[in-house]
Amino acid sequence: MERRMVVAQADCPARRVPDGTPLTIPKDTFVTITQALGGNYTVTYHGQMVRVDGTDAASLGLEPELLSFPEPVDDRIHEDQVWEALGTVYDPEIPVDLVNLGLIYSVSVDQALKRVDIKMTLTAPACGMGPVLVGDVEYRVKRVPNVESVKVELVFDPPWSREMMSEEAQLETGMFF
C-alpha cells in the first residue's frame, strides 16, 4: 500500500509501536498510513508509529478487512482454516504475517473441547507488542467456525531467528542472503 494521509473521523484507539502503550488519536487529527495488512493499520501519529486495530478502522474513515470462512459443513475445527486465520495477523513493524515470520511454532486442535492451542514466539522476548499480537491471534482464530476457545502460549525456546522466516518473507524484507 502506498503511504497516504487520512483524518481521524472520531477518537481512535491505538497502541504505540513497539511497546504497546495504549493511546487515543483525537478526532480531526491527520495521520499517515504506512502499512495496511491483515485488516490492521500502522500509522504515523505525531512522529510515532502506532497500530490501529481493524475493528477501529472506521475511526480513520477506512473500511476494515473482514476475515470470513464458508459455512461449516460439520462441527469440526479445520486446522487449515486456523492457519489461514493466523496468516492474517501481521507484525506492526515488519510487513509480514506471523506465519511467514516463523513466529507460530505449533497449532493443536482439541475437537472435544472446541479449543485451539497455539505456541508462538516473538521476534524479541522484550517486544512490547507481544500482548497485542497474542490478542490478535486469539481474536482471529476465534473467527474460525466451531472454535470456542483459543489458548496462546508464548515460548522463547528455541529463540526466533531470521532463518525461521519463509524464503518469501526473507526476500520481501531483504533478509535473504
Side-chain angles (χ1 to χ4, degrees):
M1 174 183 178
E2 181 178 310
R3 288 179 184 251
R4 67 179 167 133
M5 189 173 283
V6 297
V7 179
Q9 305 297 305
D11 287 352
C12 180
R15 291 192 176 266
R16 189 172 59 206
V17 176
D19 61 19
T21 302
L23 57 87
T24 300
I25 300 169
K27 180 182 179 191
D28 299 325
T29 301
F30 286 89
V31 297
T32 303
I33 300 172
T34 59
Q35 178 175 291
L37 297 166
N40 295 319
Y41 299 90
T42 302
V43 304
T44 303
Y45 163 66
H46 290 303
Q48 300 178 79
M49 185 184 306
V50 301
R51 182 189 165 281
V52 174
D53 190 270
T55 58
D56 297 310
S59 297
L60 297 178
L62 304 168
E63 290 289 324
E65 288 184 33
L66 301 175
L67 179 62
S68 63
F69 296 95
E71 283 295 315
V73 295
D74 55 28
D75 66 347
R76 298 184 58 76
I77 298 168
H78 295 272
E79 189 173 328
D80 61 321
Q81 292 179 332
V82 172
W83 283 100
E84 182 181 339
L86 290 168
T88 68
V89 181
Y90 283 77
D91 185 285
E93 296 175 283
I94 306 168
V96 177
D97 67 85
L98 302 188
V99 173
N100 282 302
L101 271 175
L103 298 179
I104 306 299
Y105 285 174
S106 69
V107 169
S108 176
V109 175
D110 185 326
Q111 297 291 354
L113 295 176
K114 300 292 184 202
R115 185 176 82 194
V116 176
D117 294 321
I118 298 167
K119 287 188 181 179
M120 67 175 278
T121 194
L122 304 171
T123 55
C127 175
M129 292 300 286
V132 175
L133 290 173
V134 167
D136 282 354
V137 166
E138 291 170 343
Y139 174 77
R140 298 294 171 105
V141 173
K142 281 182 185 173
R143 306 276 319 229
V144 172
N146 302 314
V147 172
E148 292 180 8
S149 66
V150 178
K151 179 184 170 203
V152 178
E153 180 183 357
L154 276 179
V155 297
F156 297 101
D157 187 30
W160 180 85
S161 68
R162 72 172 180 82
E163 290 79 21
M164 295 173 164
M165 296 169 66
S166 69
E167 285 186 8
E168 294 84 7
Q170 289 181 32
L171 285 169
E172 188 171 332
T173 59
M175 298 176 92
F176 188 79
F177 42 87

